């Protein structure tokens, strides 16, 4: 293990950036809080629609009570489902407030509650209607299927939704190829589309002419429009406008290549270092598989027309990334993005600590190029099994020298037994995160690396006093 490779000069205190970052962080957190309040308010509002329609009177009989609870569960479940779709619509509003990682985290957390609510909706309605008509719930369901238009679509929707949630459970997901999981996940759209018709054709709450019907239509259409705009239209426009073409492929280490791409109007792309795009290399055998990769360098502009260069660094972690080592120059590339908050936009403090492992070092390298800090106010910690695994390590060393950042290379095998993000030798010497970054409690902390390792760093940073708004991380998995 090497400790400090590059000691930085002491910082000259400066007030201006602190204020800028604090203001920026306050505004971002306020936006995130507002979005959270709006999300929960939308669930309450869905229930309020039913109350305003006199739904609570249903509680006067046992049958009515089951039916009433079933309707409330359906309204809340559908509202959560729409929120889940909005969270993956990649809207700048959500991405800029909470970042891609956290939006996905919330999306996953809502999966099971919305499924349980939708299942409860079906079961409670069958019991409620059955009690009213003297039928058991199963016979009632069969009768509803046969008699009520669009009911079969609702049953198909529940089936699809169960498939999506089951394949999303972490232990199942890890065993599935990404492509299979992705296709099953696309069924969410079919699940929502098949759930909608019975909401308007059955029951009086959304009957024609009611304001409830207009509100419900509006939130369904707004969610669909956000998905179509940000996930389909914008990427198509960006691909046509920026005309990205592979210009060079450079081997950085065994199994790791940097791919440079030239393009147009890159000044409009807001792709600052550390953010990621979803790339689709338009070559035979590759075009159908999009991959998220972070920029490993700040975009370079050749001239004032916005012609310039982007760079990503890719590690061979599977079939698709292995193919990229052989991608030919001149290959056209479609993009979606940029996404994520792993950039200066997330800064809240004057000091910065960057901690990366393996291929996770590459977005940190890009961030290190331009994120503002005074000499002496940045610490960079690179972790790898060996020096060869500190990808782009030479670039990082050069940048640390130039910008006055302190650099640590932490190499060596992992600990056996108790899990730590540090190498075994560092743990035995009694080192902790604060040994390398003593001012971590007053720094922004950027963390990128394998999931379990990153979680261990995050908990070490929390333990050392860093607050939630100071922690910025990017997960490289799905
Ligand atoms: C936000 C983000 C930024 C990333 N940045 C980089 C980077 O800068 N450099 C780099 O080398 N890698 C990066 N990755 C990881 C990279 O996207 C995957 O390693 C790559 O897509 C693997 O594809 P494959 O076909 O080779 O692997 P597969 O054989 O399909 O799968 C190997 C592993 O890669 C992951 N994976 C595959 N496809 C995707 C996908 N579309 N989205 C998310 N994960 C996927 C899965 O976790 C899977 O376990 C990033 C991932 C994310 C989510």
């Amino acid at each position: 293990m090497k400790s400090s490779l590059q000691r930085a000069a002491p910082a000259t205190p400066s007030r201006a950036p602190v204020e800028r970052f604090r203001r920026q962080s306050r505004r971002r957190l306020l936006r995130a809080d507002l979005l959270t309040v709006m999300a929960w308010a939308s669930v309450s509002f869905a229930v309020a629609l039913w109350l305003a329609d006199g739904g609570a009177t249903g509680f006067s009989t046992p049958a009515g009570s089951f039916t009433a609870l079933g309707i409330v569960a359906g309204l809340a479940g559908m509202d959560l489902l729409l929120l889940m779709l909005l969270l993956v619509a990649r809207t700048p509003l959500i991405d800029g407030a909470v970042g891609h990682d956290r939006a996905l985290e919330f999306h996953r957390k809502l999966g099971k509650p919305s499924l349980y609510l939708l299942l409860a909706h079906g079961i409670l309605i069958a019991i409620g209607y059955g009690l009213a008509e003297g039928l058991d719930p199963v016979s009632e369901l069969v009768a509803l299927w046969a008699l009520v238009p669009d009911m079969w679509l609702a049953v198909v929707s529940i089936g699809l939704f169960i498939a999506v949630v089951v394949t999303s459970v972490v232990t199942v997901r890890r065993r599935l190829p990404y492509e299979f999981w992705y296709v099953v996940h696309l069924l969410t759209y079919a699940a929502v589309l098949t759930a909608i018709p019975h909401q308007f054709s059955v029951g009086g709450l959304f009957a024609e002419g009611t304001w409830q019907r207009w509100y419900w239509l509006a939130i369904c259409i707004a969610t669909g429009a956000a998905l179509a705009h940000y996930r389909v239209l914008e990427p198509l426009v960006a691909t046509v406008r920026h005309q990205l073409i592979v210009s060079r492929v450079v081997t950085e280490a065994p199994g790791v290549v940097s791919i440079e791409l030239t393009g147009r109007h890159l000044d409009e792309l807001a792709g600052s270092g550390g953010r990621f795009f979803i790339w689709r290399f338009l070559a035979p055998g590759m075009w159908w598989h999009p991959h998220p990769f972070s920029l490993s360098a700040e975009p370079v502009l050749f001239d004032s027309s916005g012609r310039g260069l982007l760079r990503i660094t890719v590690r061979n972690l599977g079939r698709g990334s292995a193919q990229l080592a052989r991608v030919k120059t001149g290959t056209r590339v479609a993009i979606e993005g940029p996404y994520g908050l792993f950039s200066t936009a997330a800064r809240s403090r004057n000091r910065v600590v960057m901690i990366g492992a393996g291929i996770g070092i590459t977005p940190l390298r890009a961030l290190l190029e331009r994120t503002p800090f005074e000499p002496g106010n940045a610490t960079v910690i690179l972790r790898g099994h060996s020096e060869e695994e500190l990808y782009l390590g030479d670039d990082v060393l050069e940048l640390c020298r130039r910008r006055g950042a302190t650099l640590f290379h932490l190499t060596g095998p992992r600990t056996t037994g108790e899990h730590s993000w540090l190498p075994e030798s560092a743990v035995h010497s009694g080192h902790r995160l604060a040994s390398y970054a003593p001012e971590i409690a007053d720094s922004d902390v950027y963390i990128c690396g394998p999931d379990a390792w990153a979680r261990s760093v995050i908990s070490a940073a929390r333990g050392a006093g860093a607050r939630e708004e100071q922690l910025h991380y990017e997960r490289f998995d799905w």
Side-chain angles (χ1 to χ4, degrees):
M1 181 193 75
K2 287 211 183 109
S3 25
S4 175
L5 285 177
Q6 170 70 38
R7 273 265 165 231
T12 344
S14 139
R15 301 290 315 157
V18 186
E19 282 316 312
R20 190 187 117 201
F21 291 141
R22 288 239 152 95
R23 260 203 316 275
Q24 162 178 287
S25 167
R26 269 199 301 271
R27 275 201 301 265
R28 185 171 71 78
L29 293 175
L30 183 67
R31 275 203 309 276
D33 286 347
L34 278 176
L35 286 174
T36 313
V37 169
M38 279 166 67
W40 292 122
S42 78
V43 183
S44 322
F45 201 72
V47 178
L49 296 179
W50 168 81
L51 284 173
D53 192 46
T57 52
F59 283 110
S60 50
T61 63
S65 303
F66 277 106
T67 307
L69 287 174
I71 293 172
V72 170
L75 289 168
M78 181 66 188
D79 194 87
L80 289 186
L81 199 54
L82 295 178
L83 285 176
M84 282 178 72
L85 290 180
L86 272 180
L87 284 167
V88 292
R90 305 199 186 122
T91 63
L93 188 66
I94 296 176
D95 195 49
V98 297
H100 176 77
D101 250 26
R102 288 200 170 119
L104 276 189
E105 231 170 83
F106 295 141
H107 168 89
R108 288 192 198 108
K109 280 191 184 148
L110 292 181
K112 279 192 198 161
S114 44
L115 174 67
Y116 295 151
L117 283 167
L118 294 177
L119 283 176
H121 167 68
I123 294 168
L124 290 167
I125 292 268
I127 297 176
Y129 283 10
L131 279 177
E133 289 169 20
L135 291 174
D136 64 82
V138 177
S139 314
E140 180 59 39
L141 264 186
V142 175
L144 284 174
W145 174 289
L147 294 175
V148 180
D150 304 326
M151 193 52 74
W152 68 274
L153 279 174
V155 176
V156 169
S157 161
I158 284 281
L160 291 173
F161 203 47
I162 291 174
V164 173
V165 173
V166 169
T167 53
S168 304
V169 173
V170 176
T171 44
V172 180
R173 201 177 72 205
R174 298 240 180 273
R175 292 198 198 124
L176 297 173
Y178 175 79
E179 296 79 5
F180 180 81
W181 169 87
Y182 184 76
V183 170
V184 175
H185 228 71
L186 284 183
L187 295 178
T188 311
Y189 301 114
V192 175
L193 285 177
T194 46
I196 289 174
H198 86 284
Q199 296 166 20
F200 291 99
S201 60
V202 182
L205 180 56
F206 298 137
E208 281 198 38
T210 58
W211 63 271
Q212 284 95 337
R213 183 183 181 92
W214 286 112
Y215 171 78
W216 209 245
L217 266 177
I219 61 171
C220 291
I221 291 172
T223 307
L227 281 165
H229 182 83
Y230 293 110
R231 294 209 57 164
V232 183
L233 195 65
E234 258 201 2
L236 281 176
V237 171
T239 299
V240 172
R241 179 136 182 90
H242 300 299
Q243 306 264 322
L244 287 171
I245 287 176
V246 174
S247 58
R248 201 159 75 111
V249 181
V250 181
T251 303
E252 301 284 358
V256 178
V257 291
S258 284
I259 302 177
E260 293 176 359
L261 307 104
T262 49
R264 298 181 186 170
H265 308 294
L266 298 189
D267 50 332
E268 299 165 5
L269 207 48
S272 56
R275 301 192 79 193
F276 75 95
F277 290 81
I278 296 180
W279 312 80
R280 200 184 280 271
F281 292 81
L282 303 176
M286 292 186 191
W287 62 269
W288 59 274
H289 191 169
H291 296 279
F293 293 119
S294 310
L295 292 180
S296 62
E298 277 286 343
V300 177
L301 292 184
F302 299 149
D303 55 37
S304 58
S305 74
R307 267 189 349 103
L309 190 86
L310 300 180
R311 188 181 85 166
I312 53 175
T313 301
V314 176
R315 183 170 176 200
N316 169 358
L317 286 174
R319 206 158 48 87
S321 44
Q323 276 178 321
L324 289 179
R326 299 185 296 276
V327 69
K328 293 203 175 70
T329 54
T331 302
R332 294 194 173 278
V333 183
I335 48 162
E336 298 170 41
Y339 302 123
L341 259 182
F342 204 71
S343 67
T344 301
R347 289 280 299 275
S348 66
R349 299 288 192 282
N350 206 18
R351 292 195 171 86
V352 60
V353 176
M354 302 180 193
I355 312 172
I359 199 67
I361 293 169
T362 61
L364 294 177
R365 185 236 166 266
L367 190 63
L368 185 59
E369 262 187 72
R370 289 216 202 124
T371 197
F373 58 81
E374 303 281 327
N377 274 350
T379 302
V380 180
I381 304 172
L382 307 186
R383 171 82 177 98
H385 198 79
S386 61
E387 285 288 321
E388 291 68 46
E389 279 185 16
L390 304 181
Y391 305 121
L392 304 184
D394 290 346
D395 278 23
V396 173
L397 176 62
E398 179 48 36
L399 282 165
C400 286
R401 268 203 191 110
R402 196 174 344 131
R403 300 213 52 203
T406 306
L407 172 66
F408 293 94
H409 279 188
L410 305 183
T411 52
R414 299 176 194 186
T415 45
T416 43
E418 186 211 353
H419 182 69
S420 168
W421 65 279
L422 286 164
E424 196 163 33
S425 52
V427 175
H428 284 156
S429 316
H431 290 314
R432 292 171 302 121
L433 181 50
S435 321
Y436 307 100
E439 286 168 330
I440 193 153
D442 189 31
S443 305
D444 278 304
V445 189
Y446 287 84
I447 301 158
C448 193
D451 192 31
W453 175 88
R455 274 191 272 124
S456 167
V457 184
I458 291 167
S459 93
R462 283 192 188 120
R467 291 152 56 126
E468 223 38 53
E469 79 261 17
Q470 292 165 249
L471 298 174
H472 317 297
Y473 43 90
E474 195 81 272
R475 286 172 51 160
F476 273 15
D477 66 355
W478 47 287

